[in-house]
Amino acid sequence: MLKLYGYWRSSAAYRVRIACALKQLDYENVSVHLVKDGGQQHLPSYGMLNPNHLVPTLQDGDLLLNQSMAIIEYLDEAYPEPALLPAEPTQRAKVRAMAQNLAVDCHPLNNLRVLKYLSSELNLDDEAKNRWYHHWVKTAFKGFELQLEGTSGLFCVGDQVTMADVCLVPQVYNAERFGVPMQDYPLINGIVRRCRQLTAFAEAAPENQPDAVIS
Amino acid sequence: MLKLYGYWRSSAAYRVRIACALKQLDYENVSVHLVKDGGQQHLPSYGMLNPNHLVPTLQDGDLLLNQSMAIIEYLDEAYPEPALLPAEPTQRAKVRAMAQNLAVDCHPLNNLRVLKYLSSELNLDDEAKNRWYHHWVKTAFKGFELQLEGTSGLFCVGDQVTMADVCLVPQVYNAERFGVPMQDYPLINGIVRRCRQLTAFAEAAPENQPDAVIS
């Protein structure tokens, strides 16, 4: 059985959960608490599984795999139905680029370890950290919305759910959590609304995870 | 003919140049000067090609594609020889994860627009910016070196050049440029040395580009 080391609020883990849910793959969810004990991802025992000390990590038999997009590509090859990448080469390429627009150029700037560095090393207050956060989300969403004009149908690329949607929904969840105004992105909002109506996206949502702490 | 919008010192463009050189693909190199005129990537005319205002962008007939890793995957599908991803599924997955360890978790934190933000918005001096830069490279290389113990042969994953090596060499070029000490990474150093002996890597190197300015 697949084993996924993740955390309810990690958006990279959230992406993998969506992919698993879309493919109806059962997996054991192992919670790595990113805050408790100074962050359980820093434990040496977790470092044996993932020397980068980040989540998620997927275990499939002997394979230990990190990086959410590599995991999703792996799942898409190993468990091809439903496909999260279109068969047509230029469409596949567009899906990957759209996914990476968020997972490469936006999320890594705003994840927990970076926000920690901003506080502890650069002494930024919450307002300055929030400005940083909003800046990179807005920059990414502005470009993403423009690209959607050329690629989107019901979903990010055409009318099927793809890896791009799998990355978009967690990024919007994060943006909402940090209070980024969303009114300028009608195409993004429509796609996210349609995704959230699908059972797989609901199942994978942070608040529906066993380790969720809802205040 | 392929057209690549890039910049000699952009490490994301450098990755694509290496992939093209390995596959012996001819392409027209269009220089987008990232510094001159406040950054030519910000021009509206470039925004028409790439709404994210980043390099690289690849044009192949009607296809306009951004994101270096999406471009490399596209080239690997369209021009399969030599393959930059192994055929075996778990090895493919490892290659993607290793590439992303650098291209997702390291490079986006240290690229030009982020360094600009650190100066102009956060008023960091050069020393603090350098600390930031070194911190993320060291964090990434430490994990990468450990993972190489399980994956590497002559190159990052086994004995063939893959997308992981295509990402590693530009990242090391950047690290050297910013004076990151490299003595703790014997496996990385050996792989980079072997890559640099290959004609394709030399052809793609920043200093050998038509828009290079060597002081």
Side-chain angles (χ1 to χ4, degrees), chain A residues 52 64 66-67 70 77 92 94 100-101 105 113, chain B residues 64 66-67 70 77 92 94 96 100-101 105 113:
Chain A
N52 299 314
L64 268 173
N66 72 318
Q67 289 294 345
E77 293 179 358
R92 289 167 74 75
K94 288 278 181 196
Q100 290 168 21
N101 285 333
D105 283 335
R113 62 183 191 157
Chain B
L64 267 174
N66 73 318
Q67 288 295 346
E77 293 180 359
R92 288 166 75 74
K94 288 279 181 193
R96 286 188 174 117
Q100 289 168 22
N101 285 332
D105 283 335
R113 62 184 191 157

mmCIF file with all atom_site columns, all heavy atoms in Angstrom, chain A residues 52 64 66-67 70 77 92 94 100-101 105 113, chain B residues 64 66-67 70 77 92 94 96 100-101 105 113:
data_model
loop_
_atom_site.group_PDB
_atom_site.id
_atom_site.type_symbol
_atom_site.label_atom_id
_atom_site.label_alt_id
_atom_site.label_comp_id
_atom_site.label_asym_id
_atom_site.label_entity_id
_atom_site.label_seq_id
_atom_site.pdbx_PDB_ins_code
_atom_site.Cartn_x
_atom_site.Cartn_y
_atom_site.Cartn_z
_atom_site.occupancy
_atom_site.B_iso_or_equiv
_atom_site.pdbx_formal_charge
_atom_site.auth_seq_id
_atom_site.auth_comp_id
_atom_site.auth_asym_id
_atom_site.auth_atom_id
_atom_site.pdbx_PDB_model_num
ATOM 1   N N   . ASN A 1 52  ? 15.881 16.152 2.457   1.00 0.00 ? 52  ASN A N   1
ATOM 2   C CA  . ASN A 1 52  ? 15.580 17.583 2.355   1.00 0.00 ? 52  ASN A CA  1
ATOM 3   C C   . ASN A 1 52  ? 14.700 18.061 3.507   1.00 0.00 ? 52  ASN A C   1
ATOM 4   O O   . ASN A 1 52  ? 14.442 19.256 3.623   1.00 0.00 ? 52  ASN A O   1
ATOM 5   C CB  . ASN A 1 52  ? 14.888 17.899 1.029   1.00 0.00 ? 52  ASN A CB  1
ATOM 6   C CG  . ASN A 1 52  ? 15.774 17.552 -0.138  1.00 0.00 ? 52  ASN A CG  1
ATOM 7   O OD1 . ASN A 1 52  ? 16.957 17.879 -0.152  1.00 0.00 ? 52  ASN A OD1 1
ATOM 8   N ND2 . ASN A 1 52  ? 15.234 16.840 -1.112  1.00 0.00 ? 52  ASN A ND2 1
ATOM 9   N N   . LEU A 1 64  ? 11.221 5.375  -2.476  1.00 0.00 ? 64  LEU A N   1
ATOM 10  C CA  . LEU A 1 64  ? 10.983 6.550  -1.638  1.00 0.00 ? 64  LEU A CA  1
ATOM 11  C C   . LEU A 1 64  ? 11.133 7.746  -2.549  1.00 0.00 ? 64  LEU A C   1
ATOM 12  O O   . LEU A 1 64  ? 12.189 7.922  -3.182  1.00 0.00 ? 64  LEU A O   1
ATOM 13  C CB  . LEU A 1 64  ? 12.041 6.645  -0.543  1.00 0.00 ? 64  LEU A CB  1
ATOM 14  C CG  . LEU A 1 64  ? 11.726 5.981  0.777   1.00 0.00 ? 64  LEU A CG  1
ATOM 15  C CD1 . LEU A 1 64  ? 12.945 6.036  1.675   1.00 0.00 ? 64  LEU A CD1 1
ATOM 16  C CD2 . LEU A 1 64  ? 10.526 6.650  1.461   1.00 0.00 ? 64  LEU A CD2 1
ATOM 17  N N   . ASN A 1 66  ? 10.481 11.990 -3.161  1.00 0.00 ? 66  ASN A N   1
ATOM 18  C CA  . ASN A 1 66  ? 10.059 13.304 -2.692  1.00 0.00 ? 66  ASN A CA  1
ATOM 19  C C   . ASN A 1 66  ? 9.710  14.174 -3.901  1.00 0.00 ? 66  ASN A C   1
ATOM 20  O O   . ASN A 1 66  ? 9.765  13.738 -5.029  1.00 0.00 ? 66  ASN A O   1
ATOM 21  C CB  . ASN A 1 66  ? 11.138 13.934 -1.800  1.00 0.00 ? 66  ASN A CB  1
ATOM 22  C CG  . ASN A 1 66  ? 12.356 14.397 -2.579  1.00 0.00 ? 66  ASN A CG  1
ATOM 23  O OD1 . ASN A 1 66  ? 12.826 13.714 -3.473  1.00 0.00 ? 66  ASN A OD1 1
ATOM 24  N ND2 . ASN A 1 66  ? 12.856 15.563 -2.234  1.00 0.00 ? 66  ASN A ND2 1
ATOM 25  N N   . GLN A 1 67  ? 9.331  15.395 -3.656  1.00 0.00 ? 67  GLN A N   1
ATOM 26  C CA  . GLN A 1 67  ? 8.917  16.378 -4.661  1.00 0.00 ? 67  GLN A CA  1
ATOM 27  C C   . GLN A 1 67  ? 7.510  16.060 -5.196  1.00 0.00 ? 67  GLN A C   1
ATOM 28  O O   . GLN A 1 67  ? 7.316  15.111 -5.976  1.00 0.00 ? 67  GLN A O   1
ATOM 29  C CB  . GLN A 1 67  ? 9.909  16.478 -5.831  1.00 0.00 ? 67  GLN A CB  1
ATOM 30  C CG  . GLN A 1 67  ? 11.218 17.148 -5.449  1.00 0.00 ? 67  GLN A CG  1
ATOM 31  C CD  . GLN A 1 67  ? 11.055 18.622 -5.079  1.00 0.00 ? 67  GLN A CD  1
ATOM 32  O OE1 . GLN A 1 67  ? 10.020 19.246 -5.353  1.00 0.00 ? 67  GLN A OE1 1
ATOM 33  N NE2 . GLN A 1 67  ? 12.071 19.186 -4.421  1.00 0.00 ? 67  GLN A NE2 1
ATOM 34  N N   . ALA A 1 70  ? 7.071  15.427 -8.990  1.00 0.00 ? 70  ALA A N   1
ATOM 35  C CA  . ALA A 1 70  ? 7.662  14.149 -9.412  1.00 0.00 ? 70  ALA A CA  1
ATOM 36  C C   . ALA A 1 70  ? 6.771  12.997 -8.953  1.00 0.00 ? 70  ALA A C   1
ATOM 37  O O   . ALA A 1 70  ? 6.589  12.007 -9.682  1.00 0.00 ? 70  ALA A O   1
ATOM 38  C CB  . ALA A 1 70  ? 9.071  14.002 -8.840  1.00 0.00 ? 70  ALA A CB  1
ATOM 39  N N   . GLU A 1 77  ? 2.040  7.766  -14.269 1.00 0.00 ? 77  GLU A N   1
ATOM 40  C CA  . GLU A 1 77  ? 2.582  6.686  -15.100 1.00 0.00 ? 77  GLU A CA  1
ATOM 41  C C   . GLU A 1 77  ? 2.208  5.311  -14.538 1.00 0.00 ? 77  GLU A C   1
ATOM 42  O O   . GLU A 1 77  ? 1.891  4.396  -15.284 1.00 0.00 ? 77  GLU A O   1
ATOM 43  C CB  . GLU A 1 77  ? 4.109  6.832  -15.216 1.00 0.00 ? 77  GLU A CB  1
ATOM 44  C CG  . GLU A 1 77  ? 4.507  8.088  -15.995 1.00 0.00 ? 77  GLU A CG  1
ATOM 45  C CD  . GLU A 1 77  ? 6.016  8.284  -16.124 1.00 0.00 ? 77  GLU A CD  1
ATOM 46  O OE1 . GLU A 1 77  ? 6.786  7.466  -15.575 1.00 0.00 ? 77  GLU A OE1 1
ATOM 47  O OE2 . GLU A 1 77  ? 6.428  9.269  -16.771 1.00 0.00 ? 77  GLU A OE2 1
ATOM 48  N N   . ARG A 1 92  ? 0.198  18.534 -23.095 1.00 0.00 ? 92  ARG A N   1
ATOM 49  C CA  . ARG A 1 92  ? 0.956  18.032 -21.941 1.00 0.00 ? 92  ARG A CA  1
ATOM 50  C C   . ARG A 1 92  ? 1.939  19.100 -21.468 1.00 0.00 ? 92  ARG A C   1
ATOM 51  O O   . ARG A 1 92  ? 2.083  19.356 -20.278 1.00 0.00 ? 92  ARG A O   1
ATOM 52  C CB  . ARG A 1 92  ? 1.810  16.819 -22.337 1.00 0.00 ? 92  ARG A CB  1
ATOM 53  C CG  . ARG A 1 92  ? 1.083  15.579 -22.614 1.00 0.00 ? 92  ARG A CG  1
ATOM 54  C CD  . ARG A 1 92  ? 1.988  14.564 -23.305 1.00 0.00 ? 92  ARG A CD  1
ATOM 55  N NE  . ARG A 1 92  ? 2.978  13.940 -22.432 1.00 0.00 ? 92  ARG A NE  1
ATOM 56  C CZ  . ARG A 1 92  ? 2.690  13.015 -21.539 1.00 0.00 ? 92  ARG A CZ  1
ATOM 57  N NH1 . ARG A 1 92  ? 1.440  12.623 -21.374 1.00 0.00 ? 92  ARG A NH1 1
ATOM 58  N NH2 . ARG A 1 92  ? 3.636  12.463 -20.815 1.00 0.00 ? 92  ARG A NH2 1
ATOM 59  N N   . LYS A 1 94  ? 1.837  22.320 -21.927 1.00 0.00 ? 94  LYS A N   1
ATOM 60  C CA  . LYS A 1 94  ? 1.123  23.451 -21.319 1.00 0.00 ? 94  LYS A CA  1
ATOM 61  C C   . LYS A 1 94  ? 0.714  23.133 -19.884 1.00 0.00 ? 94  LYS A C   1
ATOM 62  O O   . LYS A 1 94  ? 0.793  23.978 -18.991 1.00 0.00 ? 94  LYS A O   1
ATOM 63  C CB  . LYS A 1 94  ? -0.144 23.777 -22.132 1.00 0.00 ? 94  LYS A CB  1
ATOM 64  C CG  . LYS A 1 94  ? 0.131  24.420 -23.471 1.00 0.00 ? 94  LYS A CG  1
ATOM 65  C CD  . LYS A 1 94  ? 0.355  25.914 -23.303 1.00 0.00 ? 94  LYS A CD  1
ATOM 66  C CE  . LYS A 1 94  ? 0.605  26.584 -24.654 1.00 0.00 ? 94  LYS A CE  1
ATOM 67  N NZ  . LYS A 1 94  ? 1.187  27.933 -24.484 1.00 0.00 ? 94  LYS A NZ  1
ATOM 68  N N   . GLN A 1 100 ? 3.866  24.282 -13.042 1.00 0.00 ? 100 GLN A N   1
ATOM 69  C CA  . GLN A 1 100 ? 5.135  24.826 -12.557 1.00 0.00 ? 100 GLN A CA  1
ATOM 70  C C   . GLN A 1 100 ? 5.057  26.326 -12.292 1.00 0.00 ? 100 GLN A C   1
ATOM 71  O O   . GLN A 1 100 ? 5.786  26.850 -11.434 1.00 0.00 ? 100 GLN A O   1
ATOM 72  C CB  . GLN A 1 100 ? 6.258  24.496 -13.541 1.00 0.00 ? 100 GLN A CB  1
ATOM 73  C CG  . GLN A 1 100 ? 6.587  22.998 -13.540 1.00 0.00 ? 100 GLN A CG  1
ATOM 74  C CD  . GLN A 1 100 ? 7.477  22.559 -14.679 1.00 0.00 ? 100 GLN A CD  1
ATOM 75  O OE1 . GLN A 1 100 ? 8.189  23.364 -15.278 1.00 0.00 ? 100 GLN A OE1 1
ATOM 76  N NE2 . GLN A 1 100 ? 7.436  21.278 -15.014 1.00 0.00 ? 100 GLN A NE2 1
ATOM 77  N N   . ASN A 1 101 ? 4.204  27.022 -13.029 1.00 0.00 ? 101 ASN A N   1
ATOM 78  C CA  . ASN A 1 101 ? 4.036  28.456 -12.738 1.00 0.00 ? 101 ASN A CA  1
ATOM 79  C C   . ASN A 1 101 ? 3.676  28.675 -11.274 1.00 0.00 ? 101 ASN A C   1
ATOM 80  O O   . ASN A 1 101 ? 4.049  29.681 -10.676 1.00 0.00 ? 101 ASN A O   1
ATOM 81  C CB  . ASN A 1 101 ? 2.936  29.063 -13.614 1.00 0.00 ? 101 ASN A CB  1
ATOM 82  C CG  . ASN A 1 101 ? 3.389  29.259 -15.048 1.00 0.00 ? 101 ASN A CG  1
ATOM 83  O OD1 . ASN A 1 101 ? 4.570  29.430 -15.306 1.00 0.00 ? 101 ASN A OD1 1
ATOM 84  N ND2 . ASN A 1 101 ? 2.437  29.224 -15.979 1.00 0.00 ? 101 ASN A ND2 1
ATOM 85  N N   . ASP A 1 105 ? 7.359  28.843 -9.279  1.00 0.00 ? 105 ASP A N   1
ATOM 86  C CA  . ASP A 1 105 ? 7.586  30.292 -9.184  1.00 0.00 ? 105 ASP A CA  1
ATOM 87  C C   . ASP A 1 105 ? 6.797  30.973 -8.084  1.00 0.00 ? 105 ASP A C   1
ATOM 88  O O   . ASP A 1 105 ? 6.990  32.161 -7.835  1.00 0.00 ? 105 ASP A O   1
ATOM 89  C CB  . ASP A 1 105 ? 7.283  30.964 -10.529 1.00 0.00 ? 105 ASP A CB  1
ATOM 90  C CG  . ASP A 1 105 ? 8.409  30.738 -11.526 1.00 0.00 ? 105 ASP A CG  1
ATOM 91  O OD1 . ASP A 1 105 ? 9.545  30.521 -11.079 1.00 0.00 ? 105 ASP A OD1 1
ATOM 92  O OD2 . ASP A 1 105 ? 8.150  30.775 -12.741 1.00 0.00 ? 105 ASP A OD2 1
ATOM 93  N N   . ARG A 1 113 ? 9.293  27.277 5.735   1.00 0.00 ? 113 ARG A N   1
ATOM 94  C CA  . ARG A 1 113 ? 10.696 27.534 6.104   1.00 0.00 ? 113 ARG A CA  1
ATOM 95  C C   . ARG A 1 113 ? 11.137 28.929 5.673   1.00 0.00 ? 113 ARG A C   1
ATOM 96  O O   . ARG A 1 113 ? 11.972 29.545 6.337   1.00 0.00 ? 113 ARG A O   1
ATOM 97  C CB  . ARG A 1 113 ? 11.609 26.448 5.516   1.00 0.00 ? 113 ARG A CB  1
ATOM 98  C CG  . ARG A 1 113 ? 11.583 26.398 4.017   1.00 0.00 ? 113 ARG A CG  1
ATOM 99  C CD  . ARG A 1 113 ? 12.449 25.269 3.451   1.00 0.00 ? 113 ARG A CD  1
ATOM 100 N NE  . ARG A 1 113 ? 12.565 25.456 2.010   1.00 0.00 ? 113 ARG A NE  1
ATOM 101 C CZ  . ARG A 1 113 ? 13.535 24.974 1.267   1.00 0.00 ? 113 ARG A CZ  1
ATOM 102 N NH1 . ARG A 1 113 ? 14.486 24.243 1.805   1.00 0.00 ? 113 ARG A NH1 1
ATOM 103 N NH2 . ARG A 1 113 ? 13.573 25.193 -0.026  1.00 0.00 ? 113 ARG A NH2 1
ATOM 104 N N   . LEU B 1 64  ? 4.048  28.283 -27.764 1.00 0.00 ? 64  LEU B N   1
ATOM 105 C CA  . LEU B 1 64  ? 4.844  29.160 -26.906 1.00 0.00 ? 64  LEU B CA  1
ATOM 106 C C   . LEU B 1 64  ? 4.840  28.511 -25.534 1.00 0.00 ? 64  LEU B C   1
ATOM 107 O O   . LEU B 1 64  ? 3.775  28.264 -24.963 1.00 0.00 ? 64  LEU B O   1
ATOM 108 C CB  . LEU B 1 64  ? 4.182  30.532 -26.788 1.00 0.00 ? 64  LEU B CB  1
ATOM 109 C CG  . LEU B 1 64  ? 4.614  31.591 -27.769 1.00 0.00 ? 64  LEU B CG  1
ATOM 110 C CD1 . LEU B 1 64  ? 3.738  32.824 -27.597 1.00 0.00 ? 64  LEU B CD1 1
ATOM 111 C CD2 . LEU B 1 64  ? 6.086  31.956 -27.596 1.00 0.00 ? 64  LEU B CD2 1
ATOM 112 N N   . ASN B 1 66  ? 6.602  28.295 -21.566 1.00 0.00 ? 66  ASN B N   1
ATOM 113 C CA  . ASN B 1 66  ? 7.521  28.788 -20.539 1.00 0.00 ? 66  ASN B CA  1
ATOM 114 C C   . ASN B 1 66  ? 7.785  27.675 -19.549 1.00 0.00 ? 66  ASN B C   1
ATOM 115 O O   . ASN B 1 66  ? 7.291  26.565 -19.691 1.00 0.00 ? 66  ASN B O   1
ATOM 116 C CB  . ASN B 1 66  ? 6.963  30.059 -19.881 1.00 0.00 ? 66  ASN B CB  1
ATOM 117 C CG  . ASN B 1 66  ? 5.791  29.781 -18.957 1.00 0.00 ? 66  ASN B CG  1
ATOM 118 O OD1 . ASN B 1 66  ? 4.918  28.988 -19.275 1.00 0.00 ? 66  ASN B OD1 1
ATOM 119 N ND2 . ASN B 1 66  ? 5.776  30.422 -17.805 1.00 0.00 ? 66  ASN B ND2 1
ATOM 120 N N   . GLN B 1 67  ? 8.588  27.966 -18.555 1.00 0.00 ? 67  GLN B N   1
ATOM 121 C CA  . GLN B 1 67  ? 9.011  27.017 -17.512 1.00 0.00 ? 67  GLN B CA  1
ATOM 122 C C   . GLN B 1 67  ? 10.051 26.033 -18.057 1.00 0.00 ? 67  GLN B C   1
ATOM 123 O O   . GLN B 1 67  ? 9.724  25.107 -18.818 1.00 0.00 ? 67  GLN B O   1
ATOM 124 C CB  . GLN B 1 67  ? 7.819  26.236 -16.905 1.00 0.00 ? 67  GLN B CB  1
ATOM 125 C CG  . GLN B 1 67  ? 6.933  27.084 -16.021 1.00 0.00 ? 67  GLN B CG  1
ATOM 126 C CD  . GLN B 1 67  ? 7.635  27.584 -14.758 1.00 0.00 ? 67  GLN B CD  1
ATOM 127 O OE1 . GLN B 1 67  ? 8.705  27.100 -14.382 1.00 0.00 ? 67  GLN B OE1 1
ATOM 128 N NE2 . GLN B 1 67  ? 7.043  28.581 -14.102 1.00 0.00 ? 67  GLN B NE2 1
ATOM 129 N N   . ALA B 1 70  ? 9.286  22.233 -17.932 1.00 0.00 ? 70  ALA B N   1
ATOM 130 C CA  . ALA B 1 70  ? 8.239  21.851 -18.892 1.00 0.00 ? 70  ALA B CA  1
ATOM 131 C C   . ALA B 1 70  ? 8.817  21.848 -20.304 1.00 0.00 ? 70  ALA B C   1
ATOM 132 O O   . ALA B 1 70  ? 8.487  20.978 -21.125 1.00 0.00 ? 70  ALA B O   1
ATOM 133 C CB  . ALA B 1 70  ? 7.048  22.806 -18.799 1.00 0.00 ? 70  ALA B CB  1
ATOM 134 N N   . GLU B 1 77  ? 10.164 14.688 -25.275 1.00 0.00 ? 77  GLU B N   1
ATOM 135 C CA  . GLU B 1 77  ? 9.122  13.922 -25.967 1.00 0.00 ? 77  GLU B CA  1
ATOM 136 C C   . GLU B 1 77  ? 9.178  14.155 -27.478 1.00 0.00 ? 77  GLU B C   1
ATOM 137 O O   . GLU B 1 77  ? 8.995  13.225 -28.267 1.00 0.00 ? 77  GLU B O   1
ATOM 138 C CB  . GLU B 1 77  ? 7.741  14.306 -25.410 1.00 0.00 ? 77  GLU B CB  1
ATOM 139 C CG  . GLU B 1 77  ? 7.565  13.853 -23.952 1.00 0.00 ? 77  GLU B CG  1
ATOM 140 C CD  . GLU B 1 77  ? 6.206  14.221 -23.361 1.00 0.00 ? 77  GLU B CD  1
ATOM 141 O OE1 . GLU B 1 77  ? 5.377  14.859 -24.061 1.00 0.00 ? 77  GLU B OE1 1
ATOM 142 O OE2 . GLU B 1 77  ? 5.961  13.871 -22.187 1.00 0.00 ? 77  GLU B OE2 1
ATOM 143 N N   . ARG B 1 92  ? 12.914 7.245  -13.653 1.00 0.00 ? 92  ARG B N   1
ATOM 144 C CA  . ARG B 1 92  ? 12.363 8.507  -14.193 1.00 0.00 ? 92  ARG B CA  1
ATOM 145 C C   . ARG B 1 92  ? 11.926 9.405  -13.048 1.00 0.00 ? 92  ARG B C   1
ATOM 146 O O   . ARG B 1 92  ? 12.176 10.612 -13.029 1.00 0.00 ? 92  ARG B O   1
ATOM 147 C CB  . ARG B 1 92  ? 11.097 8.243  -15.029 1.00 0.00 ? 92  ARG B CB  1
ATOM 148 C CG  . ARG B 1 92  ? 11.314 7.592  -16.341 1.00 0.00 ? 92  ARG B CG  1
ATOM 149 C CD  . ARG B 1 92  ? 9.988  7.071  -16.908 1.00 0.00 ? 92  ARG B CD  1
ATOM 150 N NE  . ARG B 1 92  ? 9.119  8.108  -17.436 1.00 0.00 ? 92  ARG B NE  1
ATOM 151 C CZ  . ARG B 1 92  ? 9.330  8.747  -18.577 1.00 0.00 ? 92  ARG B CZ  1
ATOM 152 N NH1 . ARG B 1 92  ? 10.395 8.459  -19.300 1.00 0.00 ? 92  ARG B NH1 1
ATOM 153 N NH2 . ARG B 1 92  ? 8.482  9.657  -19.000 1.00 0.00 ? 92  ARG B NH2 1
ATOM 154 N N   . LYS B 1 94  ? 12.902 9.364  -9.940  1.00 0.00 ? 94  LYS B N   1
ATOM 155 C CA  . LYS B 1 94  ? 14.060 9.863  -9.193  1.00 0.00 ? 94  LYS B CA  1
ATOM 156 C C   . LYS B 1 94  ? 14.702 11.052 -9.913  1.00 0.00 ? 94  LYS B C   1
ATOM 157 O O   . LYS B 1 94  ? 15.113 12.030 -9.290  1.00 0.00 ? 94  LYS B O   1
ATOM 158 C CB  . LYS B 1 94  ? 15.113 8.753  -9.037  1.00 0.00 ? 94  LYS B CB  1
ATOM 159 C CG  . LYS B 1 94  ? 14.723 7.671  -8.068  1.00 0.00 ? 94  LYS B CG  1
ATOM 160 C CD  . LYS B 1 94  ? 14.991 8.112  -6.627  1.00 0.00 ? 94  LYS B CD  1
ATOM 161 C CE  . LYS B 1 94  ? 14.622 7.020  -5.642  1.00 0.00 ? 94  LYS B CE  1
ATOM 162 N NZ  . LYS B 1 94  ? 14.586 7.509  -4.263  1.00 0.00 ? 94  LYS B NZ  1
ATOM 163 N N   . ARG B 1 96  ? 13.271 13.144 -11.977 1.00 0.00 ? 96  ARG B N   1
ATOM 164 C CA  . ARG B 1 96  ? 12.419 14.337 -11.834 1.00 0.00 ? 96  ARG B CA  1
ATOM 165 C C   . ARG B 1 96  ? 12.555 14.936 -10.438 1.00 0.00 ? 96  ARG B C   1
ATOM 166 O O   . ARG B 1 96  ? 12.627 16.147 -10.271 1.00 0.00 ? 96  ARG B O   1
ATOM 167 C CB  . ARG B 1 96  ? 10.961 13.975 -12.112 1.00 0.00 ? 96  ARG B CB  1
ATOM 168 C CG  . ARG B 1 96  ? 10.672 13.744 -13.591 1.00 0.00 ? 96  ARG B CG  1
ATOM 169 C CD  . ARG B 1 96  ? 9.169  13.587 -13.828 1.00 0.00 ? 96  ARG B CD  1
ATOM 170 N NE  . ARG B 1 96  ? 8.862  13.497 -15.248 1.00 0.00 ? 96  ARG B NE  1
ATOM 171 C CZ  . ARG B 1 96  ? 8.305  12.423 -15.831 1.00 0.00 ? 96  ARG B CZ  1
ATOM 172 N NH1 . ARG B 1 96  ? 8.014  11.345 -15.122 1.00 0.00 ? 96  ARG B NH1 1
ATOM 173 N NH2 . ARG B 1 96  ? 8.049  12.435 -17.120 1.00 0.00 ? 96  ARG B NH2 1
ATOM 174 N N   . GLN B 1 100 ? 13.919 18.620 -9.520  1.00 0.00 ? 100 GLN B N   1
ATOM 175 C CA  . GLN B 1 100 ? 13.050 19.551 -8.794  1.00 0.00 ? 100 GLN B CA  1
ATOM 176 C C   . GLN B 1 100 ? 13.657 19.972 -7.453  1.00 0.00 ? 100 GLN B C   1
ATOM 177 O O   . GLN B 1 100 ? 13.380 21.078 -6.972  1.00 0.00 ? 100 GLN B O   1
ATOM 178 C CB  . GLN B 1 100 ? 11.666 18.922 -8.603  1.00 0.00 ? 100 GLN B CB  1
ATOM 179 C CG  . GLN B 1 100 ? 10.898 18.833 -9.932  1.00 0.00 ? 100 GLN B CG  1
ATOM 180 C CD  . GLN B 1 100 ? 9.658  17.960 -9.859  1.00 0.00 ? 100 GLN B CD  1
ATOM 181 O OE1 . GLN B 1 100 ? 9.106  17.730 -8.793  1.00 0.00 ? 100 GLN B OE1 1
ATOM 182 N NE2 . GLN B 1 100 ? 9.226  17.470 -11.016 1.00 0.00 ? 100 GLN B NE2 1
ATOM 183 N N   . ASN B 1 101 ? 14.471 19.115 -6.859  1.00 0.00 ? 101 ASN B N   1
ATOM 184 C CA  . ASN B 1 101 ? 15.138 19.531 -5.617  1.00 0.00 ? 101 ASN B CA  1
ATOM 185 C C   . ASN B 1 101 ? 15.908 20.836 -5.832  1.00 0.00 ? 101 ASN B C   1
ATOM 186 O O   . ASN B 1 101 ? 16.031 21.649 -4.914  1.00 0.00 ? 101 ASN B O   1
ATOM 187 C CB  . ASN B 1 101 ? 16.112 18.452 -5.144  1.00 0.00 ? 101 ASN B CB  1
ATOM 188 C CG  . ASN B 1 101 ? 15.397 17.265 -4.532  1.00 0.00 ? 101 ASN B CG  1
ATOM 189 O OD1 . ASN B 1 101 ? 14.303 17.401 -3.997  1.00 0.00 ? 101 ASN B OD1 1
ATOM 190 N ND2 . ASN B 1 101 ? 16.012 16.097 -4.602  1.00 0.00 ? 101 ASN B ND2 1
ATOM 191 N N   . ASP B 1 105 ? 13.102 23.866 -5.156  1.00 0.00 ? 105 ASP B N   1
ATOM 192 C CA  . ASP B 1 105 ? 13.362 24.226 -3.759  1.00 0.00 ? 105 ASP B CA  1
ATOM 193 C C   . ASP B 1 105 ? 14.579 25.098 -3.556  1.00 0.00 ? 105 ASP B C   1
ATOM 194 O O   . ASP B 1 105 ? 14.829 25.546 -2.438  1.00 0.00 ? 105 ASP B O   1
ATOM 195 C CB  . ASP B 1 105 ? 13.501 22.953 -2.909  1.00 0.00 ? 105 ASP B CB  1
ATOM 196 C CG  . ASP B 1 105 ? 12.141 22.326 -2.616  1.00 0.00 ? 105 ASP B CG  1
ATOM 197 O OD1 . ASP B 1 105 ? 11.146 23.069 -2.628  1.00 0.00 ? 105 ASP B OD1 1
ATOM 198 O OD2 . ASP B 1 105 ? 12.080 21.107 -2.395  1.00 0.00 ? 105 ASP B OD2 1
ATOM 199 N N   . ARG B 1 113 ? 14.706 38.393 -9.435  1.00 0.00 ? 113 ARG B N   1
ATOM 200 C CA  . ARG B 1 113 ? 13.594 39.192 -8.915  1.00 0.00 ? 113 ARG B CA  1
ATOM 201 C C   . ARG B 1 113 ? 13.507 39.119 -7.397  1.00 0.00 ? 113 ARG B C   1
ATOM 202 O O   . ARG B 1 113 ? 13.105 40.089 -6.745  1.00 0.00 ? 113 ARG B O   1
ATOM 203 C CB  . ARG B 1 113 ? 12.268 38.779 -9.560  1.00 0.00 ? 113 ARG B CB  1
ATOM 204 C CG  . ARG B 1 113 ? 11.885 37.348 -9.288  1.00 0.00 ? 113 ARG B CG  1
ATOM 205 C CD  . ARG B 1 113 ? 10.604 36.934 -10.016 1.00 0.00 ? 113 ARG B CD  1
ATOM 206 N NE  . ARG B 1 113 ? 10.183 35.646 -9.477  1.00 0.00 ? 113 ARG B NE  1
ATOM 207 C CZ  . ARG B 1 113 ? 8.958  35.168 -9.509  1.00 0.00 ? 113 ARG B CZ  1
ATOM 208 N NH1 . ARG B 1 113 ? 8.003  35.878 -10.090 1.00 0.00 ? 113 ARG B NH1 1
ATOM 209 N NH2 . ARG B 1 113 ? 8.664  34.006 -9.008  1.00 0.00 ? 113 ARG B NH2 1
#
